[in-house]
Structures are given as C-alpha cells and as structure tokens.
C-alpha cells in the first residue's frame, strides 16, 4: 500500500500519521540536507567511543540506556542515508500523539528510533544522579566486582 503524507491506509490505528522529516528533531536544519546527513556520520562514532570509554563497564541500566541512544541514532541515520541517495524525503516519522492540551498539542510526529533516543537520554541523566557504591568508586575499571574483597585470615 502506498503511504502519502499524513495518512495511512484504512484499517490502521488513528495515531499513525505518515510524515517525512528532512531535518533533525523538530525539523531543525531541514534546509541543510548536507549537514543533516553529516551529523550521524560524525556523531555515531563519537557515541561508540564514549560508550567504549565510559559506559561499557557500568551497570546493565547504563548500557541499556546507551543502547537505546545508539540504536535510535543508527535507525534515523539509515533513513538519512536513504534520503541522501534519493530513496526517501527524510526520516520516516509515523507516531502521532494528541494529548489534547497546550503546550503538548500537537506533539511532533516521531518514530521508534526517536523514542529510543529520548528515553535513553532521560535514563542516562536520571542514572547520573545515583551515588556510586563505595566498592564501585574505588575499584579500577578493569578489576572484577569482587576484586576489593579482603580476607582476614591470620
């Protein structure tokens, strides 16, 4: 079935709306396709480097959150690359939420990748307020979790 801007074929839920976003979040930079295409090429390797250096040795929640951010960035990067190749007109956004009150109405149409990015960033920010446990704070990054256990044998 062919999808046209703003519509899905009959039988789909009413909260699905088809939009192509030629920019980044909230259609920022929509008039600069070269910059929009270059951003993921630069930012995704930076995100991978940050994960490798800072997040991979942290807990499961930190890695899950960073995975959401990286997965969302990769998902939208695929659409941006297809747009540069002339196969799409932008990132495919299709989830439309109508909360019914200002300032959250209308909420910008988004996709699953954007939701992953947003949720991942929020979780990372929330986790950054946690205080590290004393063992995690003093353990060298390469040491296993039980490396600080000391025995008191005579």
């Amino acid at each position: 079935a062919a999808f046209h801007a703003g519509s899905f074929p009959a039988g789909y839920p009413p909260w699905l709306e088809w939009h192509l976003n030629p920019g980044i979040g909230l259609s920022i930079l929509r008039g600069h396709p070269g910059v929009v295409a270059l951003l993921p090429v630069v930012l995704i390797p930076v995100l991978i480097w940050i994960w490798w250096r800072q997040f991979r040795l942290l807990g499961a929640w930190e890695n899950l959150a960073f995975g959401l951010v990286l997965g969302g960035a990769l998902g939208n990067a695929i659409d941006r690359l297809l747009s540069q190749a002339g196969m799409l007109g932008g990132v495919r956004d299709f989830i439309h939420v109508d909360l019914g009150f200002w300032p959250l109405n209308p909420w910008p149409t988004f996709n699953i990748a954007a939701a992953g990015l947003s949720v991942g960033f929020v979780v990372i920010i929330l986790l950054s307020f946690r205080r590290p446990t004393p063992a995690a704070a003093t353990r060298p990054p390469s040491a296993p979790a039980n490396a600080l256990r000391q025995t008191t044998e005579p």
Side-chain angles (χ1 to χ4, degrees):
F3 298 115
H4 303 287
S7 69
F8 267 78
Y12 282 88
W15 49 266
L16 290 176
E17 286 189 12
W18 180 262
H19 295 275
L20 292 172
N21 180 359
I24 57 175
L26 305 174
S27 294
I28 297 169
L29 296 174
R30 83 165 111 191
H32 306 281
V35 173
V36 170
L38 186 61
L39 280 174
V41 172
V42 172
L43 292 179
I44 288 173
V46 169
L47 285 172
I48 292 170
W49 182 82
I50 290 170
W51 172 78
W52 184 260
R53 299 284 294 170
Q54 300 294 322
F55 282 83
R56 71 184 171 96
L57 298 174
L58 296 177
W61 286 107
E62 288 85 352
N63 279 281
L64 176 65
F66 207 85
L68 288 170
V69 171
L70 188 56
L74 288 168
N76 281 339
I78 291 168
D79 277 8
R80 287 194 180 96
L81 292 174
L82 291 173
S83 295
Q84 286 297 307
M87 299 171 74
L88 283 176
V91 171
R92 295 171 281 189
D93 290 336
F94 53 88
I95 301 171
H96 179 77
V97 179
D98 183 359
L99 299 175
F101 58 90
W102 186 88
L104 303 177
N105 184 29
W107 191 261
T109 305
F110 60 96
N111 61 29
I112 294 170
L117 267 164
S118 300
V119 169
F121 273 123
V122 168
V123 171
I124 288 170
I125 289 168
L126 291 175
L127 290 173
S128 72
F129 290 108
R130 288 192 319 185
R131 292 182 179 203
T133 60
T138 58
R139 175 177 19 116
S142 61
N146 62 359
L148 294 178
R149 292 187 186 150
Q150 297 178 3
T151 58
T152 56
E153 296 179 26

